[in-house]
Coordinates of all heavy atoms in Angstrom, one line a residue:
A212 N 12.0 19.4 -46.6 CA 12.9 18.7 -45.7 C 13.1 19.5 -44.4 O 13.2 18.8 -43.3 CB 14.3 18.6 -46.4
G213 N 13.1 20.8 -44.4 CA 13.1 21.6 -43.2 C 11.9 21.3 -42.3 O 12.0 21.3 -41.1
L214 N 10.8 21.2 -43.0 CA 9.5 20.9 -42.2 C 9.6 19.6 -41.5 O 9.3 19.5 -40.3 CB 8.3 21.0 -43.1 CG 7.0 20.6 -42.5 CD1 6.6 21.6 -41.4 CD2 5.9 20.5 -43.5
W215 N 10.0 18.6 -42.2 CA 10.2 17.2 -41.6 C 11.2 17.2 -40.5 O 11.1 16.5 -39.5 CB 10.4 16.2 -42.7 CG 9.2 15.9 -43.5 CD1 9.1 16.2 -44.8 CD2 8.0 15.3 -43.1 NE1 7.8 15.8 -45.2 CE2 7.2 15.2 -44.2 CE3 7.6 14.7 -41.9 CZ2 5.9 14.6 -44.1 CZ3 6.3 14.2 -41.8 CH2 5.5 14.2 -42.9
K216 N 12.3 17.9 -40.7 CA 13.3 18.0 -39.7 C 12.8 18.6 -38.4 O 13.0 18.2 -37.3 CB 14.5 18.8 -40.3 CG 15.7 18.8 -39.3 CD 16.9 19.5 -40.0 CE 18.1 19.5 -39.2 NZ 19.2 20.2 -39.9
A217 N 12.0 19.7 -38.6 CA 11.5 20.4 -37.4 C 10.5 19.5 -36.7 O 10.4 19.4 -35.5 CB 10.8 21.7 -37.9
L218 N 9.6 18.8 -37.5 CA 8.7 17.9 -36.9 C 9.4 16.7 -36.2 O 9.0 16.3 -35.1 CB 7.7 17.3 -37.9 CG 6.7 18.3 -38.5 CD1 5.9 17.6 -39.6 CD2 5.7 18.7 -37.4
G219 N 10.5 16.2 -36.7 CA 11.2 15.2 -36.1 C 11.8 15.6 -34.8 O 11.8 14.9 -33.8
I220 N 12.4 16.8 -34.8 CA 13.0 17.4 -33.5 C 11.9 17.6 -32.5 O 12.1 17.3 -31.3 CB 13.8 18.7 -33.9 CG1 15.0 18.4 -34.7 CG2 14.1 19.4 -32.6 CD1 15.7 19.6 -35.2
A221 N 10.7 18.1 -32.9 CA 9.6 18.3 -32.0 C 9.2 17.0 -31.4 O 8.9 16.9 -30.2 CB 8.5 19.1 -32.7
G222 N 9.1 16.0 -32.2 CA 8.7 14.7 -31.7 C 9.7 14.1 -30.7 O 9.4 13.6 -29.7
F223 N 11.0 14.3 -31.0 CA 12.0 13.8 -30.1 C 12.0 14.5 -28.8 O 12.1 13.9 -27.7 CB 13.4 14.0 -30.8 CG 14.6 13.7 -29.9 CD1 14.9 12.4 -29.6 CD2 15.3 14.7 -29.2 CE1 16.0 12.0 -28.8 CE2 16.3 14.3 -28.4 CZ 16.7 13.0 -28.2
L224 N 11.8 15.8 -28.8 CA 11.7 16.6 -27.6 C 10.4 16.2 -26.8 O 10.5 16.2 -25.5 CB 11.6 18.1 -27.9 CG 12.9 18.7 -28.4 CD1 12.8 20.2 -28.8 CD2 14.1 18.5 -27.4
G225 N 9.4 15.9 -27.4 CA 8.2 15.4 -26.7 C 8.4 14.1 -26.0 O 8.0 13.9 -24.9
V226 N 9.1 13.2 -26.7 CA 9.4 11.9 -26.1 C 10.3 12.1 -24.9 O 10.1 11.5 -23.8 CB 10.0 10.9 -27.1 CG1 10.6 9.7 -26.5 CG2 8.9 10.5 -28.1

Side-chain angles (χ1 to χ4, degrees):
L214 174 66
W215 286 112
K216 186 175 183 180
L218 287 174
I220 290 172
F223 176 77
L224 291 176
V226 169

